[in-house]
Amino acid sequence: MSSEHDVATLVQGLYQELGNWQAFRQRLDPHVTVWESDAEQLLNGTAQVEELRGRRRAALTAADVPLSVKPENVIIDAWTDGAVARYILRAVYPSAEPDRCYRVTDVLRCGNAGWHIVHHHSEALSPRDRAAVTTPTSG
């Protein structure tokens, strides 16, 4: 298997495990840094990421729980022990509300325990930008 394939598998699995914090966390380096649109500052480490996730969960209503969250248009470059993944993350909701889309970049490092995300940057797209993002026909 190629490094690109391994990283793609990690990224896909990350969002399949979105509701399972322990499985999600296993894909993150313990010292991960994270930029999120709804975070006031750079998050440092999985404890701060978990705190943000807790605040998000506390504010959820049934209409806020997505039916699916999937990466689309994934582009990966990998080297011996490093990789960068870029993609659109699409969240689909049960209401008539438009999908929410995010522009994401993940920086990964491969060590003895395999690939882990060392930096994650996610930016919410505006409604205008979301309209320009098309759903791929295969993927």
Side-chain angles (χ1 to χ4, degrees), residues 90-129:
R90 181 180 300 274
V92 178
Y93 291 84
S95 67
E97 174 183 336
D99 298 350
R100 293 183 200 160
C101 295
Y102 304 85
R103 193 173 311 160
V104 178
T105 302
D106 287 326
V107 179
L108 301 96
R109 179 176 42 224
C110 189
N112 293 335
W115 289 99
H116 289 90
I117 296 172
V118 295
H119 180 72
H120 172 83
H121 188 145
S122 177
E123 174 187 2
L125 295 176
S126 70
R128 185 173 136 228
D129 290 340

Side-chain angles (χ1 to χ4, degrees), residues 11 35 41 44 68 70 73 76 89 100-101 106 108 127:
V11 169
W35 285 117
Q41 61 190 20
N44 287 289
S68 66
K70 293 183 181 178
N73 306 328
I76 297 169
L89 186 64
R100 293 183 200 160
C101 295
D106 287 326
L108 301 96

